[in-house]
Amino acid sequence: MRRAGFLLMALLFLAIFGAGCITSSSTTTGTGSATMGPPADKGYGASANAGIVVDISAYPVENLSPEEVEAILYMREEEKLARDVYLTLYNKTGLPIFENIARSEQTHMDMVLELIRKYNLTDPVAGMGVGEFNSTEMQELYKKLVAKGSESDVEALKVGALIEEIDIKDLDEWLKHVDNQDIKAVFESLRKGSENHLRAFTRLLQNRYGITYAPQVLSENEYRSIVG
């Protein structure tokens, strides 16, 4: 299945993260202070989700295809993956960007949950705590992402960027196969949020650490169209 394929790709990229795919324009490799923030937000996460919440009730109830059911349930769990990794990395690094974007991911989770409730589906992560998943692929990816991100602040930010790339790629694939107005509106909103988050992580890598991030899942053209 193509979504599982992206997860496997992500696991592979984690294995080669240190093999030259990220370049640095300085020798700064130390861990940043939790209180050392940028001079202004500029997309670093504090307002990264502003203005993209979708009112599900404004759209009609439409018949769901099997792929639309799969899409809703999958994105509920993938947004939880992002939130849980960021909450865990915030506790490990103290970097405010992870706390800020975790709040945004919670909003994304809530929007998908509204779709689940609207269509009387079963929430795949109901009652699950941080780091607990229904999908074995998500569970494995969570462990590997947290392990990689725990190595340093820089690696944590690279992990954040990779997660957002995966989200964008998956959402692009799902949007080719859904036509219900409410699902499309939510997924397009999630994609905008992921673009904001990708910009936030990569700008912080560049501005604080002198690290130029190279895309791992998106093509160079796709990546440049987002980050500028």
Side-chain angles (χ1 to χ4, degrees):
M1 158 136 247
R2 62 182 175 277
R3 270 68 58 179
F6 287 132
L7 290 174
L8 293 174
M9 284 170 59
L11 294 174
L12 175 62
F13 286 132
L14 284 171
I16 62 172
F17 241 150
C21 59
I22 308 293
T23 60
S24 173
S25 58
S26 77
T27 58
T28 303
T29 57
T31 299
S33 165
T35 60
M36 180 183 166
D41 178 50
K42 296 182 181 178
Y44 287 92
S47 60
N49 195 51
I52 65 169
V53 176
V54 174
D55 179 7
I56 307 298
S57 66
Y59 296 88
V61 175
E62 303 177 80
N63 292 331
L64 290 181
S65 69
E67 233 180 357
E68 286 172 329
V69 172
E70 185 186 1
I72 292 170
L73 299 181
Y74 186 90
M75 289 311 304
R76 168 71 169 162
E77 197 158 18
E78 186 162 286
E79 294 301 329
K80 182 182 188 298
L81 172 71
R83 185 205 65 176
D84 289 5
V85 171
Y86 298 159
L87 287 173
T88 303
L89 292 181
Y90 173 67
N91 288 334
K92 290 179 179 293
T93 68
L95 291 173
I97 190 172
F98 287 111
E99 183 180 35
N100 293 334
I101 296 184
R103 291 196 194 103
S104 175
E105 299 296 352
Q106 181 63 61
T107 301
H108 293 183
M109 286 182 65
D110 292 345
M111 283 195 287
V112 181
L113 182 59
E114 287 302 308
L115 287 173
I116 289 173
R117 290 171 174 167
K118 180 175 180 177
Y119 289 101
N120 297 313
L121 304 177
T122 300
D123 183 5
V125 295
M128 292 185 178
V130 171
E132 297 176 348
F133 299 90
N134 181 56
S135 162
T136 55
E137 290 89 355
M138 294 281 188
Q139 187 72 64
E140 184 66 16
L141 185 55
Y142 169 81
K143 292 176 182 177
K144 289 185 180 295
L145 289 166
V146 167
K148 190 63 181 177
S150 298
E151 294 177 7
S152 68
D153 290 1
V154 165
E155 292 302 322
L157 294 168
K158 292 179 189 176
V159 162
L162 175 60
I163 288 173
E164 299 306 333
E165 283 193 76
I166 295 169
D167 277 0
I168 290 167
K169 198 72 172 180
D170 280 341
L171 286 163
D172 283 347
E173 286 299 309
W174 284 124
L175 283 165
K176 296 174 185 176
H177 300 280
V178 303
D179 55 20
N180 282 23
Q181 297 177 58
D182 47 7
I183 302 173
K184 290 181 70 174
V186 168
F187 284 13
E188 287 167 358
S189 176
L190 299 185
R191 194 188 188 287
K192 290 177 183 176
S194 287
E195 288 182 347
N196 288 339
H197 301 164
L198 181 58
R199 283 189 288 267
F201 284 124
T202 57
R203 286 173 183 170
L204 190 53
L205 276 167
Q206 182 67 58
N207 293 346
R208 184 182 295 181
Y209 300 98
I211 302 293
T212 300
Y213 181 81
Q216 309 304 298
V217 176
L218 300 174
S219 71
E220 186 67 27
N221 287 341
E222 289 172 322
Y223 176 70
R224 289 298 164 197
S225 73
I226 292 168
V227 303

